[in-house]
Amino acid sequence: SYGSALHVALPQPLRAGQLLTLEIDYEAGEGPGVCWLAPEQTAGRQKPYMYTQGQAVLNRSFFPGFDTPSVKCTYSATVKVPEGFTAVMSATSWEKQEDNTFVFKMSQPIPSYLIALAVGDIVSADVGPRSRVWAEPCLIEAAKKEYDGVIEEFLAVGEKLFGPYVWGRYDILFMPPSFPFGGMENPCLTFVTPCLLAGDRSLVDVIIHEISHSWFGNLVTNATWGEFWLNEGFTMYAQRRISTEVYGSAYTCLEAATGRALLRQHMDNTGEDHPLNKLRVVIEPGFSLFLGVNPDDTYNETPYEKGYCFVSYLAHLVGDQSKFDAFLQAYVNQFKFQSITADDALGFFLEYFPELKEKGVDSIPGFEFDRWLNTPGWPPYLPDLSPGEQLMKPADELAELWAADSLNTEAIEAVDITAWRTYQLVYFLDQVLQKSPLPEGNVERLSKMYPKISEAQNAELRLRWCQIVLKNNLEAEYSKVKDFLHSQGKQKYTLPLYRAMWGGSESARALAMETFSATAPQLHVNVQNYVKKILGLE
């Protein structure tokens, strides 16, 4: 699944720094990095679609190249597509020529995994001075409505915090429903799941995450996939900095608490001392941190949330937010367009703050940088999320009320959840799920009382409601699980529901089999394989 090396014999030896042109004639299309969708896997269901997904090591099946994040280059491409189709790429310039040929150039050096192409029946609409949304015609209105004006606000805050946005445009491509990820931060053109079109702008934090990659990941890149936390931990930190500026610290802390709960869940599932639960992962040849290479290993919260805790710990050592913000800007400036190791990043941190280096902050017992990187387990330091408590406390109390043997209807009715924002509801549902199965009859009543939750169209709420339905074996609402799995194929939503069904009653298992046989053709091949594994169909 890794492909094989292409060895090229040169006619005569070259000297260092000499320029050469190498032309390789090749054909591609069947590999794991190139996804071909039948019309029924798209939103419009009329025309086929194709897209590439390079991260981590899949672009080698799309074009021959140095497929490692340690090498960066510019690229250009000429793409000819059939009549009625449009091609888009992660490039700084895009030009349509006659006979349906598109010409792309990326003028900034990027690692191979960020080169991306999509071809389909897609149209665009402007949503800001340097942003447009791309989508199938049936989704374009919803996309424009959801994102009009918001992207520029996030970009401007990002620039204020982390320095200039160097990629020119920031466009978003809403992918077909079978796209397995929340987002993929391809430069100039982020690919995102259509699940983000919640209709109420409640899931825009995913876009803030992808925008944050414009500095952390795309501009300063991990040199090896074993130190993926350099991309994701810094990006989570940056995302929450932008979110704090835009939405305030209470809401951001609540979102971070949801992230912490996912890390807890992940570590409970794998065991804390699992080798994947450290920030520096030794990648054996033949093993990758990512999808598609070794399906045994699934998506993992550690580089994201434990990485976020480590970056937060560095900020805590500095003790002054504006000083740490200035450091982040200097870090981006120091390493822009380069690929670095954790040692480079931490070495720069200590050089930038000589007084901390003097104090030996890299070896405080229990919090050693080496321990952060090389010891699996729960983060030694957790950032303070108490500003979120004003939003968490009412949610905790309400969940307690619903878990009681005899319901205190009066107390429940006194709590008005109509003004609660998505993450407050998500947090509430996470608490209800932890307390499930609830006493007899409580879930049915909860469902009736809060149609805002049980009838939600928001994917994050639907996921949790489906998990609650399964944990409480509420057969009357099994159809909601089925509908949700029919409507999208995002890995983060699909796998937990199949795990819950397979761990549930006979009828839940039957639901899993029935749903999978109906939806398998519309799922990404990696997600299909993961589900087969869960259902023991391998």
Side-chain angles (χ1 to χ4, degrees):
S1 55
Y2 266 99
S4 50
L6 172 63
H7 299 278
V8 180
L10 300 172
Q12 71 264 0
L14 298 172
R15 41 172 217 285
Q18 191 180 338
L19 227 56
L20 97 147
T21 302
L22 174 64
E23 197 167 299
I24 302 169
D25 191 5
Y26 71 98
E27 195 171 290
E30 278 308 293
V34 184
C35 304
W36 302 92
L37 305 183
E40 58 271 18
Q41 290 172 288
T42 67
R45 298 181 169 259
Q46 300 301 306
K47 292 183 183 176
Y49 197 106
M50 74 81 65
Y51 69 90
T52 64
Q53 165 61 33
Q55 197 177 27
V57 291
L58 300 180
N59 263 349
R60 58 192 67 181
S61 68
F62 169 29
F63 57 87
F66 298 105
D67 196 15
T68 158
S70 62
V71 174
K72 292 188 174 186
C73 63
T74 57
Y75 81 89
S76 61
T78 304
V79 183
K80 190 173 184 336
V81 300
E83 210 37 66
F85 290 85
T86 298
V88 289
M89 289 191 82
S90 54
T92 40
S93 74
W94 176 96
E95 189 198 331
K96 185 174 180 179
Q97 300 183 339
E98 59 240 38
D99 66 354
N100 242 21
T101 300
F102 297 85
V103 179
F104 303 95
K105 273 194 186 65
M106 168 48 88
S107 55
Q108 310 282 29
I110 58 171
S112 58
Y113 74 89
L114 290 175
I115 298 177
L117 164 70
V119 180
D121 177 14
I122 48 180
V123 292
S124 69
D126 285 316
V127 292
R130 45 184 163 171
S131 304
R132 61 173 71 100
V133 286
W134 289 91
E136 294 180 58
C138 61
L139 288 179
I140 196 71
E141 275 315 304
K144 182 172 167 40
K145 199 171 130 220
E146 195 96 0
Y147 286 95
D148 207 2
V150 291
I151 293 168
E152 187 56 36
E153 181 183 8
F154 301 150
L155 285 172
V157 174
E159 289 190 295
K160 187 184 88 182
L161 290 171
F162 313 122
Y165 177 80
V166 303
W167 308 101
R169 299 195 61 82
Y170 183 86
D171 295 345
I172 300 178
L173 172 63
F174 287 88
M175 301 297 284
S178 57
F179 186 61
F181 308 105
M184 177 61 215
E185 65 273 13
N186 301 313
C188 309
L189 182 67
T190 286
F191 289 15
V192 298
T193 171
C195 293
L196 296 189
L197 300 174
D200 59 1
R201 298 195 165 179
S202 56
L203 298 182
V204 288
D205 62 291
V206 177
I207 297 292
I208 301 181
H209 181 87
E210 305 310 335
I211 284 174
S212 300
H213 274 305
S214 308
W215 294 272
F216 305 96
N218 296 5
L219 198 48
V220 180
T221 308
N222 49 228
T224 75
W225 292 119
E227 296 191 320
F228 185 46
W229 76 274
L230 286 169
N231 280 17
E232 293 300 347
F234 275 89
T235 294
M236 291 306 299
Y237 188 86
Q239 169 196 325
R240 288 169 182 157
R241 278 297 293 121
I242 294 176
S243 168
T244 300
E245 296 290 307
V246 177
Y247 298 118
S249 60
Y251 186 71
T252 304
C253 287
L254 178 65
E255 182 278 317
T258 320
R260 187 178 295 177
L262 286 173
L263 181 65
R264 184 68 269 167
Q265 233 173 350
H266 161 74
M267 288 206 180
D268 290 344
N269 285 342
T270 56
E272 280 200 22
D273 46 8
H274 191 286
L276 277 182
N277 294 338
K278 50 190 184 184
L279 293 179
R280 184 182 277 149
V281 177
V282 183
I283 299 185
E284 307 297 340
F287 168 81
S288 160
L289 263 176
F290 271 91
L291 270 174
V293 180
N294 182 340
D296 278 340
D297 147 63
T298 43
Y299 176 90
N300 172 7
E301 293 293 341
T302 301
Y304 293 79
E305 294 294 348
K306 188 174 180 177
Y308 165 71
C309 289
F310 189 18
V311 180
S312 301
Y313 176 64
L314 298 178
H316 166 74
L317 290 173
V318 175
D320 175 321
Q321 188 65 61
S322 59
K323 278 189 183 152
F324 192 71
D325 288 348
F327 159 73
L328 288 176
Q329 220 173 106
Y331 166 83
V332 168
N333 198 39
Q334 173 77 14
F335 295 117
K336 59 179 184 243
F337 302 117
Q338 296 174 51
S339 301
I340 65 167
T341 63
D343 293 343
D344 297 327
L346 297 169
F348 180 71
F349 173 79
L350 294 170
E351 296 300 303
Y352 188 88
F353 294 110
E355 66 286 3
L356 293 180
K357 187 179 186 173
E358 196 97 332
K359 275 176 33 192
V361 294
D362 55 339
S363 49
I364 297 169
F367 302 93
E368 301 88 345
F369 289 2
D370 181 78
R371 174 180 168 169
W372 274 102
L373 295 174
N374 298 312
T375 305
W378 194 241
Y381 169 87
L382 295 168
D384 170 29
L385 302 181
S386 60
E389 271 165 20
Q390 61 190 77
L391 298 172
M392 288 185 242
K393 205 165 165 274
D396 279 323
E397 288 166 356
L398 187 60
E400 281 292 332
L401 289 171
W402 280 104
D405 280 325
S406 60
L407 290 179
N408 179 342
T409 330
E410 202 179 330
I412 287 172
E413 283 170 1
V415 184
D416 178 14
I417 68 162
T418 50
W420 287 14
R421 292 186 48 183
T422 298
Y423 274 98
Q424 199 170 5
L425 294 167
V426 161
Y427 181 82
F428 165 65
L429 293 178
D430 281 341
Q431 304 318 110
V432 171
L433 182 60
Q434 270 173 19
K435 299 176 194 306
S436 292
L438 301 183
E440 194 69 31
N442 286 16
V443 179
E444 290 84 339
R445 292 185 60 185
L446 193 149
S447 175
K448 279 199 186 65
M449 175 128 186
Y450 305 133
K452 174 179 179 167
I453 292 173
S454 57
E455 304 295 332
Q457 283 313 296
N458 181 306
E460 292 289 327
L461 297 178
R462 286 175 85 178
L463 166 67
R464 274 132 183 124
W465 185 248
C466 290
Q467 289 174 305
I468 287 166
V469 163
L470 292 166
K471 190 90 180 275
N472 290 278
N473 202 24
L474 185 59
E475 291 192 29
E477 297 200 19
Y478 272 8
S479 61
K480 288 186 179 157
V481 179
K482 195 163 89 179
D483 292 345
F484 185 45
L485 290 171
H486 274 262
S487 73
Q488 54 75 44
K490 185 179 160 183
Q491 184 178 320
K492 237 177 144 171
Y493 298 152
T494 303
L495 302 187
L497 290 178
Y498 277 103
R499 283 195 200 101
M501 287 187 277
W502 203 243
S505 63
E506 275 307 297
S507 53
R509 286 186 157 209
L511 177 70
M513 284 299 193
E514 174 203 340
T515 307
F516 183 60
S517 61
T519 58
Q522 70 188 40
L523 293 173
H524 186 280
V525 61
N526 294 335
V527 181
Q528 281 182 35
N529 289 332
Y530 288 146
V531 176
K532 281 182 186 161
K533 229 185 135 195
I534 292 166
L535 305 183
L537 298 171
E538 283 293 80

